[in-house]
Each structure stands twice: as structure tokens, then as C-alpha cells.
Amino acid sequence: MKKLFIMLLATLVLAVTYPTKSEAKVMYDGAEVVKVQTGKMTFKKDIKVYKKNPDGTFDSLVVKRNNFLRTYDIEKYDGKTFYQMGQYRVQATDLVVFNEVPIDIRTSFYNNPVYVMINHQGVKIPYQYQDIAYGQPLIVGKRDEVCTGPKSSLVSMEKGKLNYHYCAGDIEGGPVIKTAIIDGTDVRIFEKINKGSYVLTEDTELLSAPMKGAPSHTKMVKGTIFQLSGIEIDGFVEVGLDKYYFNYIPANLLKPVNGK
């Protein structure tokens, strides 16, 4: 039983091997950081973590106090936060000590990063009419960029933080004003995929977010031609008709036009 516990714990703590921009190890807070890692966590006392099996049952594992685990994903909904550690996850409580890996370190693993809001509750931005919604990509640019159009916005990275900006007065060419700092745990980083024209292989719903059961805008018919923004999230791709994006369909329902 002791050997089994050690093997399971090692599975959680050891990193999965991912291709990176550099072979050099990336270190933070006294430990190596790996791609897709959002942070690391310890516990104030021995605690059980759980994983859900395909048949709906759950397995648990006791993690000892002060042993650290890498976290790879964070889910936020209904006012609750859950940390994913491989197949296991734990809900945030007073017993959980979470340390975030700065967003600039996480970014260093990607050649062409895309930042996407993964907080299911969305994030409210002061003085803005709309929240940053779940699944919405964030346009990252320099802080001194000017507005490109009405209600355009962007995010800059400064000292390991994501700073949200918006257009003053919604005037094209006007100044961009900093309004808020976005919590790095609300953002997941993806490698941008190839853009291009793709044809829909069967009828499907056009979804407002990259998840099953998301609100649907309309039904799209087989043969529709889409443009991809370059963003794929959990098997869903962000597609556009003409220049408009923020709509999603399953990636496996698209194929390149002319088979290219």
C-alpha cells in the first residue's frame, strides 16, 4: 500500500513532458515550471484529493501536509474555485495554499501564444458595458497603442501582470486607458493554430462559448465556409463569418477548403 501511494503521488508531482521553446529548465519559487502549469499548491494538513472515473465513480488519494503539487488548470463557477492536478482536483478552501506562476513565465513556453478567458463566471471590468466572457480571446499589445475602432480593447503585460485597457470615448485613434489588472488564473494560454478557410462537414450549432451546452446563436448548415481565428479550446475552434469571431464549433466538424 505504501509503494502504491508513493507511485500515485509521484504521478501527480512529476511533470508531463511537453515540447518547449527551449531545452533549459524554467525555475520559479524554488521548483521547475513546465508548460501548461498555472501554479503549485501545498496543504496545511493531510488532505484527500479526488478524480472522477469514466463510470462516474471517484477515487481518492491522501496528500501529506506541505507536499507540493503542480496545478495545470483552474475552474471557476458558482462562486467556487477548483484546482486541477492531472486527473485529480481539489476545491479551494482555507486548507489550500496556492501560488500562481506569473503569466510572463507561463508565456515563455509558447511560440505564438493566445490568451483566453477561462473563468466561467466572466470578469467584470470597471466602466465597461460588458464583462470579459468565458472563452473570449484577449488581444495583447503594447500599452501605448491607440484605439483601432469603437469599443476596441487590449491587454498589455507589465511586470508579470495582465493589464486591461479600453478606448477613451470609443474614438478611433484616441488614447488607450488602463482600467484593471486581470487575474492570471482567469486566463489559459494556447498555441495559435493555422488560420485559413474551412468547410463545415455537417450541420451544427454556432456556440457562444467553447463548451458543450453553451448558448447557441444559430444553426449552421453543412458546406458553410468559415475563417478560423487561430484559437482552439478543448476541441472547439473560434470561427468567423467575414471578420467577426467569438463563435465556436467542434474542430472535428471542419476540414480545409480544397483539402489543403
Side-chain angles (χ1 to χ4, degrees), residues 192-232:
K192 201 162 190 176
I193 60 177
N194 292 330
K195 293 183 179 181
S197 298
Y198 290 77
V199 61
L200 187 63
T201 59
E202 62 181 72
D203 294 353
T204 190
E205 297 290 331
L206 193 62
L207 304 177
S208 61
M211 59 187 296
K212 291 182 179 179
S216 173
H217 293 295
T218 186
K219 188 172 184 178
M220 306 306 299
V221 298
K222 178 180 177 180
T224 301
I225 304 296
F226 289 102
Q227 298 295 316
L228 268 62
S229 71
I231 298 171
E232 180 175 353

Side-chain angles (χ1 to χ4, degrees), residues 3 8 12 15 77 80 84 91 93 96 102-103 106 118 133-134 146 158 175-176 180 186 190 211 238 244 248:
K3 289 183 177 180
L8 288 171
L12 285 175
Y77 52 86
K80 301 175 182 177
Q84 199 77 32
Q91 183 176 346
T93 67
V96 176
I103 194 75
R106 292 164 56 194
I118 60 167
Y134 171 75
V146 297
E158 302 172 21
V176 175
D186 287 331
F190 297 87
M211 59 187 296
E238 187 189 44
Y244 300 101
Y248 296 85

Side-chain angles (χ1 to χ4, degrees), residues 38 74 76 83 98 100 106 118-119 182-188:
T38 57
I74 298 175
K76 296 181 180 181
Y83 300 107
F98 173 77
E100 177 189 352
R106 292 164 56 194
I118 60 167
N119 188 332
I182 297 177
D183 186 343
T185 64
D186 287 331
V187 175
R188 190 187 301 173

